[in-house]
Amino acid sequence: MMNNILNTPDLRILLIKLRHHGDMLLTTPVINSLRQSLPDAQIDVLLYEETRDMLAAHPAINTIYGIDRKWKQLGTLKHLQKEWQLLRALRARQYHLVINLADQWRSAIVTRFTGAPVRLGFGFNKRKNAFWRFCHTGLVSVANHNVLHTVEQNLSILSPLSVPPVSTVTMSYSADDWNFARQKLTAQGIGDRYIVIQPTSRWFFKCWDENKMAQTITALQQEGHTIVLTAGPDKKELSMVDRILRASPQTGVISLAGELSLRQLASLIDHADLFIGVDSVPMHMAAALQTPCVALFGPSKLTFWSPWQVNGEVIWAGNFGPLPDPDAVDTKTSERYLDAIPVDAVVDAAKRYLA
């Protein structure tokens, strides 16, 4: 039945993933695989509303449905109304195939409620029970996921279907996104040649020492390169960028920190000569866009989260000093595990990709 469903006229598919921004970007190989094999299918996505930007411009996606975590602030009744409206809208689409990449109970309930005749999910170890099986018509083994990159893990959901995997990650943006970013550059006197440096992550234990980042910027600026610093709008990230700016040259270095949406940032990275950054969403975007990239990586699991098909180099802190077990890291720690990475390693790698 699974493969027969793919021959359905007006085939409608729902993909579910409820995670962070980077996770959403790494679902695009599944979307690209479906589009290549099923060019006429309508592919919808259910995600957390705050991650919409990661997929909003993807040409293969028909409709994006969002779960807004701010609904909880509306009070119990209105929150339930929003959830019910979403469930009704999804059920009304009469999907033929639902692919649930998520591990939450909520995603399983939504999968079941759609009423789709084929509902695929993963047989997660923590979900080995009758209700999880009841919500799906087929469960795909995760037995080898511990040795697979997140992209490969996601693509394994397609194994019961006659859909060859397409492993390309796609970060899409619009012409308007680039026009906005280019206007920001022009306003600060920046032309076509520049390096994007993203020193921040939402998790500060993934960040490098501010003085080392400033030394790297100084070395590259002295070589004649223009540096554009970027970051999210979070106050802690903006403060980090301010500290780096104060220790950096006063010319040839600008900040667009907190001024760009994720898609505008993607356009900026796409047109850059080089991207330098820590383990973060922009790092994954740079890899997807094939912008030359120097990625600084710390205690996260390299197997799962290294930049996929990167045009560049991953500098792993573990090559310069001991790192803790990724599963044992306190995400609120003030420890900077990347600090073991020397400035010369980053500057030398940057120069190789700028040559």
Side-chain angles (χ1 to χ4, degrees):
M1 182 181 183
M2 285 194 189
N3 286 311
N4 290 340
I5 205 80
L6 301 183
N7 298 320
T8 305
D10 192 28
L11 178 64
R12 291 180 298 281
I13 302 169
L14 176 66
L15 183 83
I16 301 174
K17 183 73 174 182
L18 306 174
R19 290 293 290 174
H20 304 302
H21 293 85
D23 300 83
M24 300 315 303
L25 182 61
L26 299 185
T27 65
T28 56
V30 177
I31 296 166
N32 295 334
S33 301
L34 292 167
R35 171 53 72 234
Q36 180 164 297
S37 288
L38 306 163
D40 298 323
Q42 294 182 42
I43 303 170
D44 296 350
V45 176
L46 173 65
L47 44 63
Y48 282 137
E49 188 60 43
E50 68 264 26
T51 67
R52 180 181 289 264
D53 240 12
M54 302 308 298
L55 299 180
H58 195 295
I61 297 174
N62 183 64
T63 303
I64 295 177
Y65 294 93
I67 294 174
D68 195 335
R69 292 197 264 198
K70 294 177 183 176
W71 288 346
K72 292 179 181 178
Q73 301 168 13
L74 301 174
T76 303
L77 183 59
K78 287 190 175 179
H79 180 193
L80 289 174
Q81 286 175 341
K82 291 285 189 182
E83 297 274 2
W84 180 241
Q85 286 168 3
L86 174 64
L87 284 171
R88 288 182 63 188
L90 293 174
R91 191 174 179 90
R93 286 283 286 148
Q94 296 184 316
Y95 291 107
H96 303 98
L97 169 63
V98 174
I99 296 174
N100 177 23
L101 292 172
D103 62 358
Q104 298 100 322
W105 287 114
R106 174 189 232 167
S107 69
I109 292 168
V110 171
T111 297
R112 183 69 184 85
F113 193 84
T114 63
V118 176
R119 305 182 302 277
L120 293 178
F122 283 123
F124 295 109
N125 294 327
K126 64 180 180 180
R127 298 287 182 247
K128 288 189 179 298
N129 56 64
F131 185 72
W132 189 261
R133 290 194 298 274
F134 168 74
C135 291
H136 304 85
T137 61
L139 293 175
V140 176
S141 172
V142 298
N144 64 339
H145 276 200
N146 63 320
V147 296
L148 298 180
H149 190 278
T150 304
V151 166
E152 296 167 316
Q153 293 175 20
N154 288 336
L155 284 170
S156 70
I157 198 79
L158 300 174
S159 57
L161 304 169
S162 297
V163 175
V166 175
S167 60
T168 306
V169 177
T170 304
M171 180 66 217
S172 303
Y173 62 87
S174 69
D176 286 345
D177 294 320
W178 171 231
N179 288 337
F180 182 90
R182 186 166 51 187
Q183 286 169 11
K184 288 280 187 180
L185 293 172
T186 302
Q188 298 214 40
I190 307 301
D192 295 336
R193 307 298 301 274
Y194 58 88
I195 298 168
V196 172
I197 295 184
Q198 171 94 15
T200 63
S201 164
R202 66 195 292 264
W203 306 114
F204 270 61
F205 69 87
K206 295 182 179 181
C207 297
W208 201 29
D209 176 76
E210 285 94 326
N211 287 323
K212 287 187 174 182
M213 189 62 82
Q215 290 171 43
T216 301
I217 290 168
T218 300
L220 294 172
Q221 187 265 0
Q222 289 174 350
E223 292 273 328
H225 299 288
T226 300
I227 313 299
V228 180
L229 282 167
T230 60
D234 181 83
K235 288 181 181 178
K236 289 183 179 179
E237 292 190 43
L238 297 178
S239 294
M240 177 183 282
V241 170
D242 285 342
R243 290 193 293 274
I244 293 169
L245 282 171
R246 285 197 295 271
S248 298
Q250 297 304 299
T251 59
V253 183
I254 71 158
S255 171
L256 295 181
E259 298 183 29
L260 303 174
S261 71
L262 283 167
R263 283 187 291 153
Q264 290 159 358
L265 175 58
S267 73
L268 183 79
I269 292 170
D270 196 23
H271 289 82
D273 291 336
L274 178 71
F275 173 88
I276 301 174
V278 298
D279 176 16
S280 62
V281 177
M283 175 199 74
H284 290 294
M285 294 196 301
L289 294 162
Q290 289 292 287
T291 297
C293 174
V294 176
L296 282 63
F297 222 89
S300 303
K301 294 180 180 178
L302 265 176
T303 303
F304 295 174
W305 297 111
S306 59
W308 182 251
Q309 296 176 342
V310 67
N311 171 24
E313 188 169 320
V314 176
I315 300 177
W316 186 50
N319 287 332
F320 302 95
L323 288 177
D325 182 330
D327 293 326
V329 173
D330 174 7
T331 58
K332 295 179 181 178
T333 182
S334 58
E335 189 80 28
R336 295 282 186 88
Y337 298 108
L338 266 62
D339 286 358
I341 298 173
V343 171
D344 287 351
V346 181
V347 173
D348 290 348
K351 288 179 178 178
R352 282 197 293 277
Y353 290 98
L354 290 165

